[in-house]
Amino acid sequence: MGFLADSLARIKPSATIAVTDKARKLSAAGRDVIGLGAGEPDFDTPDNVKEAAIRAIRDGKTKYTAVDGIPELKAAIAAKFARENRLDYAPEEISVGAGAKQVLFNALMATLNPGDEVIVPAPYWVSYPEIVALAGATPVTVATDLPSGFKLSPQALEAAITPNTKWVILNSPSNPSGAAYTAAELKALTAVVARHDHVWVLTDDIYEHLTYDGFVFATPAQVEPALKARTLTMNGVSKAYAMTGWRIGYGAGPAMLIKAMAKLQSQSTTNPSSIAQWAAVEALNGPQDFIAKRAEVFRQRRDLVLSMLNQAPGLSCPRPEGAFYVFPSCAGAIGKMSAGGIAIGNDEDFVTALLEAEGVAVVHGAAFGLSPFFRVSYATSTEALTEACARIQRFCAGLR
Ligand SMILES: Cc1ncc(COP(=O)(O)O)c(C=O)c1O
């Protein structure tokens, strides 16, 4: 009998964190490395939010709070849903956790049993299948493709549903592809779920505010009100408000689910940081105008990266609607040899050879469940992006 839990053998460490670590080590060894692996905005947390946290400390708001969120934050979240998504949620239908990741973890752990299936469209955010597997359930990945812009079709969704399906996870805009569903595309998917009473939707809307070219964001419970009773709408302040380190995420759904999630959280982390909760109140209730300005900077970077990558021999990349990632295909590089003598047999070889030859760190598509692709995060300065893309072009041009 081993010392470590069997459940750990079912999961892998995060590939995105592994790439970041590898790049950091090369950098520490004196290599000139540009990291395009990070999943966080390079902008700073707004000053009004920082001030609210400092005020909370001074005012002694430094004690345990209600497990799944202070009433003021739940009210700010309810106001956000009403204002931005035309969704009404009562306080007992809202759960606050230490990041959207904890909310996701709570929801899956509180509902999954061995034998249950969770539909995860690929490419997916690395944590979805891992948390499902940790819960002892089965992730059912459904591959999308480049011609569809990495969007799940209603037919593929229908075909993946079985009597054991408990959740369908939707993430729009997506990490890693940046793809976002229009209201009409979402409606076609929710119509499928609506026909299967036993299936719930877990929608991860964390990149809601990072969409471009006038794209109008929509969320499943809004486009299909009949599904609201079977939907957990997840969001958080990490990406829109550049607050990744504060660890505040939230979910809204039926009170029965929210109560079960709180039960689990009460026996793990208790409440999210009281100070971060007060900061999140200010983020959601305070000025919002900077969000669009930052999104415009991201749009310019997306266009720069897309144009440069699509000029690299062997790469092709669709134009994503949102988030701060692009997910190019490197199919044209497979089967070739790098100038440094590394055979490129798959996307992992491609990113390894690229890091070694040019010091550019990106994450291979297999980590997100779809090959042969790689993810580039453009949440970094325009200068670094321009240099990194020039290096990628040079690397691809040198493949034989
Ligand atoms: C799709 C997606 N969902 C959730 C998260 C986690 O957000 P949080 O920082 O709120 O835990 C991330 C972070 O990378 C993400 O990319």
Side-chain angles (χ1 to χ4, degrees), residues 12 118-129 139-153 156-157 160 168-172 174-179 181 189 318 327 347 364-375:
K12 300 187 289 291
V118 177
I119 296 176
V120 183
Y124 46 70
W125 181 43
V126 292
S127 295
Y128 302 140
V140 176
T141 57
V142 182
T144 63
D145 58 17
L146 188 140
S148 70
F150 306 109
K151 291 183 189 175
L152 180 67
S153 70
L157 174 59
V168 175
I169 299 184
L170 295 176
N171 171 217
S172 165
S174 151
N175 175 5
S177 71
Y181 295 101
L189 295 173
F327 198 62
D347 50 23
H364 53 294
F368 307 100
L370 201 69
S371 292
F373 297 90
F374 64 100
R375 187 191 78 172

Side-chain angles (χ1 to χ4, degrees), residues 50-62 274-276 278:
K50 292 181 183 174
E51 289 305 326
I54 294 165
R55 236 180 2 257
I57 295 173
R58 293 220 169 94
D59 293 349
K61 290 170 172 155
T62 52
S274 59
I275 300 151
W278 282 103

Side-chain angles (χ1 to χ4, degrees), residues 39 98-102 125 128 171 175 204 206-207 234 236 238-239 244 247-249 325:
K101 192 182 255 181
Q102 189 181 24
W125 181 43
Y128 302 140
N171 171 217
N175 175 5
D204 182 345
I206 196 113
Y207 294 101
M234 233 174 63
S238 288
K239 315 285 175 172
T244 46
R247 311 307 304 131
I248 295 291
Y325 310 103

Side-chain angles (χ1 to χ4, degrees), residues 134-331:
L134 194 61
T138 308
V140 176
T141 57
V142 182
T144 63
D145 58 17
L146 188 140
S148 70
F150 306 109
K151 291 183 189 175
L152 180 67
S153 70
Q155 296 76 11
L157 174 59
E158 180 74 60
I161 294 175
T162 76
N164 295 326
T165 307
K166 198 159 242 174
W167 290 100
V168 175
I169 299 184
L170 295 176
N171 171 217
S172 165
S174 151
N175 175 5
S177 71
Y181 295 101
T182 62
E185 287 165 341
L186 266 188
K187 182 87 185 169
L189 295 173
T190 54
V192 173
V193 181
R195 289 199 290 275
H196 299 272
D197 286 348
H198 64 293
V199 181
W200 285 53
V201 176
L202 201 164
T203 177
D204 182 345
D205 298 352
I206 196 113
Y207 294 101
E208 167 177 9
H209 288 294
L210 300 176
T211 60
Y212 315 116
D213 309 325
F215 181 88
V216 180
F217 174 84
T219 189
Q222 177 195 4
V223 303
E224 184 56 79
L227 263 191
K228 187 167 172 245
R230 288 193 264 141
T231 299
L232 181 69
T233 305
M234 233 174 63
N235 211 317
V237 295
S238 288
K239 315 285 175 172
Y241 301 92
M243 292 176 66
T244 46
W246 299 75
R247 311 307 304 131
I248 295 291
Y250 52 87
M256 165 276 286
L257 170 65
I258 297 297
K259 195 171 160 196
M261 289 162 61
K263 184 174 175 186
L264 189 65
Q265 188 161 300
S266 76
Q267 295 299 5
S268 58
T269 56
T270 313
N271 57 276
S273 153
S274 59
I275 300 151
Q277 289 190 69
W278 282 103
V281 170
E282 174 61 21
L284 293 172
N285 288 346
Q288 306 290 310
D289 50 323
F290 70 94
I291 296 179
K293 291 186 194 135
R294 290 179 174 185
E296 175 53 20
V297 176
F298 280 128
R299 187 209 45 89
Q300 289 168 10
R301 292 177 183 168
R302 178 203 61 175
D303 291 349
L304 167 81
V305 167
L306 261 190
S307 144
M308 289 189 77
L309 292 180
N310 275 324
Q311 288 171 48
L315 302 188
S316 73
C317 189
R319 176 176 302 266
E321 293 84 358
F324 37 64
Y325 310 103
V326 293
F327 198 62
S329 161
C330 55

